[in-house]
Amino acid sequence: MKNLSLSIQKYILGVVGIILLSCVPILFTQGSLFNFKLFFKEFISVCTALITPTEWHLNYKSFNKSLTTIETIPFSLSSYFEGPYLYSMTILVLALLFSLFVSFLFAVLTASSKGNFKKLMSRVSELLTAIPDTTYIYIFQIAVVQVYLITGYRFLSFYSLGGEKVYTAPILCLAVVPTILFFKLFVVLFAEEMEQPYVDLAKSKGLSKMQILIKHCTSNVLKSIFHQSKSIVWLTLSSLLIIEYLFGIQGILYYLRNDFSPQGITFILISIFTPFYVFYQIGERMVNKGETERNVLFEKMHMPLFDKEQWKSIFLMKSKKSFKVKLNPFNNLIYKIPLFILLSLLTISLGYFFLYDDHIEQINFVYNEAGKIVSRAPHPPSSSMIFGTDPYGYSIFQQLLVGIKYTILVTLIIATIRVVVGYIFGVIYVFFLNRKGRKIINSIADGMHFLPLTLLVFILLAPVLTTSTGTWDTTLGERLFIQIMIMSLIVLPVTTSLIGNEMNDALKKEYVQSSVVMGGSLIWIIIKHLNPQLWNKLLLYWTQHVVQVLQMFVHLGILSLFVGGASLYEDSPYRLVPEIYELSGMISISREVFTTMQYWMIIPPILVFMLLIYCFNKLAEGIATKDSRKILKKKQKRKSLMVNEKSENLTEKATLPHDFSRVYNRL
């Protein structure tokens, strides 16, 4: 009963957080910037609507019969759940189940195999991880179109027209990313499980490796998969929105964009949050998940915040040596190459800014020697125009040169703020919050995993980065600042909980507790004991956040949200002019590209995103490999110590009878 009441409290806390998030766009609406009075008024209005059944509806915008004006039509929640909601959730659940089955099958084959096949699967998974999820959709759609053009046979429907429901293509495309992530997770967990003592016992009884994996390891691995699947579900929920948009599915995202009001946003987010929250709450009660808490020693002892002598001794360390130790993950040539590529791209883009002032050439028409028009924009790639031009005649190659620096720099800033602020709040989480406060943070972090991150960012940034009038109430610098802070702080509860729990594990070491008993101050404990253990993990989290932000930029670009914002073009009501030529803005024309089959406009920016994601993934792999080698060395030392102890015990037992007989003879 206590667990049930606690779950209900967490759910209410999650719903309140959803209402607050749904009302935040009011603060950034043009004409009412940071109007907190209107914000709280909307908050009360949404809370009232939640307890008033007559207000349980969405608003659907459609043209009237004469196609002259747009009407707002009420859409009941029952129709929403029976139609678009059920459609979207069916695609999501089937994609997750399919990915879980396929990844388990390949992971078992990989874990039971030896040599080349295992290396091949590892390399393939690394390469596929670097590909943005939208690329799989493009490849799939291009393949269907090309097969149709060659054979005249359309083997799959890949776009929803006239209310037609397509399932196979969206499910297959949505399942690709979770399949790769589940596969990598299965392989790691199977490798850890195969080192357990019961595996040696099973081998001694003559069981094959496949039997051990399926009959004994799988049950333990599935429990770990359940706990760690939240982050994979989190990413898949974001991918679902892009799947809906690119396949023309009238699902959750379609109705959210139609009813972009605090009340409509709240109802839709609660409909996504509730089923996953209930599922994981029931699952966690069944598998008896324990909470990570810090050592009781730190609950009862009050450490001084600062000690003058300890502070002096900290700076007596050799800074050069410590700096070399920190940069060890990048000493390997395999990881220096990605770092060199990233620095080269950034240097070239910055050099183009200083030499040519980010000039982008526009060529609307191409003439021959006789002065006749040979081609009009968009122009295909040629010797004079590398990568061709976009529909408005702007050089794609020059747009890449201009946009790379903005993409890299903004991404690095967001990832750095996430980790630094998460680290600061992690210290507060561990040393200054009581158990109740930590539970609240963990509850918020768990609830965040059941809401699509791309959708939350889209909801918060849409009023900031779009304008229908062509004029702005904010400057470019203000919009960039708001965008960076929103994309950084939206994951603050998750990073705080994650880094705080890593600090908890570090504080449980005996030498850290001894340092506290001997009078170590808080600053001393953090700098001398916590930071050396956390540095590589923080660096790993930073590279992971960089990859996540790059993926999010791709999603936002498809949804026509650009870095710094975009305004409508004067001569075309459907053309958006970005304030900054950034890479994600080049992907916004993806739907038009597939109708015209002008693929050269979308392939270059996607390849650049793939290259950036691959480089940062390799850097993360280098950091993780170093940590895994440390853990492996510790395990080998423990095994060698255990073997030595056993051998010493055996020799003692072997010599005991001989020594005893000698003493007996002397007597």
Side-chain angles (χ1 to χ4, degrees):
M1 198 65 185
K2 183 179 178 181
N3 290 335
L4 180 61
S5 63
L6 184 62
S7 298
I8 293 173
Q9 290 175 14
K10 288 182 178 180
Y11 179 76
I12 294 172
L13 186 64
V15 170
V16 172
I18 287 173
I19 299 172
L20 289 171
L21 280 172
S22 303
C23 296
V24 166
I26 295 295
L27 296 175
F28 303 118
T29 304
Q30 294 194 33
S32 59
L33 280 173
F34 300 107
N35 189 340
F36 287 97
K37 185 178 179 180
L38 183 60
F39 171 80
F40 287 112
K41 184 180 178 181
E42 286 291 337
F43 177 78
I44 295 171
S45 175
V46 173
C47 292
T48 306
L50 282 177
I51 58 176
T52 308
T54 56
E55 295 292 328
W56 293 356
H57 62 82
L58 301 173
N59 292 320
Y60 176 77
K61 295 179 181 179
S62 177
F63 284 99
N64 59 3
K65 293 182 179 180
S66 59
L67 300 178
T68 55
T69 58
I70 297 177
E71 296 179 344
T72 302
I73 304 170
F75 190 74
S76 66
L77 284 183
S78 60
S79 301
Y80 165 74
F81 283 114
E82 293 171 0
Y85 179 77
L86 183 62
Y87 185 21
S88 296
M89 284 299 165
T90 301
I91 293 173
L92 176 64
V93 173
L94 290 178
L96 288 173
L97 292 176
F98 178 77
S99 64
L100 193 62
F101 172 75
V102 174
S103 60
F104 173 76
L105 184 64
F106 278 98
V108 170
L109 293 174
T110 304
S112 60
S113 64
K114 295 180 181 179
N116 295 330
F117 181 75
K118 188 176 288 187
K119 290 181 180 178
L120 176 64
M121 294 301 294
S122 176
R123 299 301 179 195
V124 170
S125 63
E126 286 178 14
L127 181 63
L128 293 178
T129 307
I131 301 175
D133 51 359
T134 54
T135 307
Y136 299 111
I137 305 172
Y138 300 146
I139 293 172
F140 187 87
Q141 292 180 339
I142 291 172
V144 172
V145 171
Q146 292 301 318
V147 170
Y148 177 75
L149 291 175
I150 295 171
T151 64
Y153 175 71
R154 189 184 67 177
F155 63 92
L156 272 179
S157 297
F158 63 88
Y159 201 83
S160 178
L161 291 172
E164 176 191 5
K165 290 187 176 181
V166 292
Y167 286 99
T168 305
I171 289 171
L172 291 177
C173 291
L174 184 60
V176 174
V177 173
T179 299
I180 298 168
L181 297 177
F182 274 129
F183 168 76
K184 296 179 75 173
L185 189 56
F186 267 122
V187 169
V188 171
L189 293 175
F190 274 132
E192 291 178 356
E193 204 66 27
M194 289 298 289
E195 296 179 0
Q196 298 300 320
Y198 72 85
V199 174
D200 296 330
L201 179 62
K203 288 179 180 178
S204 66
K205 290 186 175 182
L207 293 177
S208 65
K209 198 171 184 180
M210 184 68 75
Q211 289 176 320
I212 295 171
L213 285 170
I214 295 175
K215 292 183 178 180
H216 299 285
C217 296
T218 299
S219 59
N220 295 329
V221 166
L222 286 177
K223 290 180 181 179
S224 300
I225 287 288
F226 174 79
H227 293 315
Q228 300 184 44
S229 63
K230 289 182 181 179
S231 57
I232 298 176
V233 173
W234 195 22
L235 293 174
T236 310
L237 280 169
S238 294
S239 299
L240 174 65
L241 306 175
I242 306 303
I243 291 284
E244 289 185 6
Y245 183 76
L246 292 179
F247 281 94
I249 295 172
Q250 293 186 2
I252 294 172
L253 179 66
Y254 179 80
Y255 283 87
L256 175 72
R257 299 185 78 176
N258 269 279
D259 189 2
F260 201 75
S261 63
Q263 181 177 329
I265 295 170
T266 300
F267 284 138
I268 291 174
L269 290 182
I270 290 176
S271 69
I272 300 172
F273 171 76
T274 302
F276 289 100
Y277 178 82
V278 173
F279 172 76
Y280 276 97
Q281 285 295 312
I282 294 173
E284 287 174 0
R285 296 292 176 261
M286 291 174 65
V287 297
N288 296 321
K289 179 187 174 184
E291 291 187 1
T292 307
E293 284 292 335
R294 59 177 171 164
N295 199 287
V296 180
L297 176 70
F298 294 91
E299 295 277 2
K300 297 180 179 180
M301 293 193 65
H302 298 284
M303 293 182 296
L305 178 64
F306 176 82
D307 185 271
K308 187 176 180 181
E309 295 300 324
Q310 292 176 5
W311 183 257
K312 287 181 180 178
S313 64
I314 288 173
F315 289 95
L316 293 177
M317 298 186 306
K318 294 181 180 180
S319 58
K320 292 183 179 180
K321 186 177 179 181
S322 62
F323 188 70
K324 287 181 181 179
V325 172
K326 289 179 181 180
L327 290 182
N328 270 344
F330 304 128
N331 282 346
N332 196 329
L333 181 63
I334 299 175
Y335 309 117
K336 282 183 178 179
I337 294 174
L339 191 61
F340 174 76
I341 292 172
L342 292 171
L343 292 176
S344 300
L345 290 174
L346 184 60
T347 303
I348 292 170
S349 183
L350 289 172
Y352 188 78
F353 169 73
F354 289 112
L355 294 176
Y356 299 100
D357 195 25
D358 282 349
H359 172 71
I360 299 177
E361 186 179 4
Q362 185 180 19
I363 304 174
N364 288 321
F365 302 99
V366 175
Y367 302 91
N368 60 11
E369 296 178 355
K372 293 183 179 180
I373 297 176
V374 179
S375 172
R376 61 175 299 173
H379 307 291
S382 62
S383 58
S384 59
M385 291 178 286
I386 303 175
F387 300 150
T389 68
D390 65 6
Y392 310 105
Y394 290 102
S395 169
I396 290 176
F397 178 68
Q398 290 177 337
Q399 289 185 56
L400 291 175
L401 288 178
V402 172
I404 284 174
K405 62 176 172 293
Y406 294 116
T407 301
I408 294 178
L409 291 176
V410 174
T411 301
L412 296 182
I413 291 170
I414 292 172
T416 303
I417 293 174
R418 285 183 175 186
V419 175
V420 171
V421 177
Y423 173 83
I424 295 170
F425 277 84
V427 172
I428 298 172
Y429 170 91
V430 172
F431 293 101
F432 298 100
L433 289 182
N434 55 19
R435 186 175 181 181
K436 189 174 181 181
R438 291 194 298 276
K439 279 188 175 181
I440 292 173
I441 297 295
N442 288 332
S443 300
I444 296 173
D446 283 340
M448 289 284 296
H449 286 105
F450 312 133
L451 295 172
L453 186 59
T454 299
L455 181 59
L456 295 180
V457 175
F458 176 80
I459 291 169
L460 297 177
L461 288 180
V464 181
L465 301 180
T466 56
T467 176
S468 57
T469 60
T471 58
W472 298 96
D473 291 342
T474 55
T475 63
L476 176 61
E478 291 172 345
R479 290 194 299 278
L480 284 173
F481 176 78
I482 293 172
Q483 180 176 4
I484 289 171
M485 296 310 296
I486 287 176
M487 295 182 68
S488 302
L489 302 181
I490 191 69
V491 296
L492 180 59
V494 178
T495 53
T496 299
S497 177
L498 183 64
I499 296 174
N501 287 329
E502 290 290 348
M503 289 182 178
N504 285 335
D505 293 337
L507 290 174
K508 291 177 182 178
K509 302 290 178 65
E510 291 183 0
Y511 67 87
V512 180
Q513 297 179 6
S514 301
S515 180
V516 176
V517 173
M518 295 176 68
S521 65
L522 178 60
I523 300 296
W524 176 269
I525 296 297
I526 291 174
I527 295 177
K528 292 289 289 180
H529 298 302
L530 286 184
N531 288 349
Q533 295 184 63
L534 292 177
W535 171 255
N536 282 344
K537 291 181 179 179
L538 291 176
L539 206 56
L540 177 61
Y541 295 153
W542 180 77
T543 55
Q544 290 173 347
H545 278 291
V546 168
V547 173
Q548 187 188 64
V549 173
L550 288 172
Q551 295 271 16
M552 195 183 301
F553 276 148
V554 176
H555 291 176
L556 294 177
I558 292 173
L559 298 175
S560 300
L561 281 184
F562 310 141
V563 175
S567 56
L568 291 174
Y569 193 64
E570 296 178 357
D571 299 336
S572 175
Y574 300 104
R575 178 186 172 186
L576 290 172
V577 182
E579 296 290 324
I580 297 175
Y581 279 99
E582 191 264 340
L583 296 183
S584 61
M586 301 175 67
I587 303 177
S588 62
I589 58 172
S590 56
R591 293 176 75 172
E592 292 78 3
V593 163
F594 288 102
T595 57
T596 58
M597 299 182 65
Q598 296 165 334
Y599 302 127
W600 70 82
M601 291 187 286
I602 198 73
I603 290 176
I606 288 178
L607 289 178
V608 173
F609 269 111
M610 288 173 58
L611 180 62
L612 294 177
I613 292 172
Y614 180 78
C615 289
F616 281 108
N617 275 336
K618 292 299 291 183
L619 295 180
E621 180 190 340
I623 300 164
T625 303
K626 184 186 176 185
D627 283 343
S628 62
R629 284 175 181 171
K630 283 183 178 180
I631 295 170
L632 184 62
K633 285 181 181 179
K634 289 180 180 179
K635 287 183 178 179
Q636 289 175 349
K637 283 183 179 180
R638 288 176 184 174
K639 285 184 178 180
S640 62
L641 288 172
M642 290 174 66
V643 170
N644 291 333
E645 287 178 1
K646 287 181 180 179
S647 61
E648 288 175 2
N649 291 334
L650 289 172
T651 53
E652 287 177 2
K653 289 180 181 179
T655 56
L656 184 59
H658 175 72
D659 294 340
F660 181 76
S661 62
R662 185 182 297 175
V663 174
Y664 179 78
N665 290 331
R666 284 183 180 179
L667 289 173

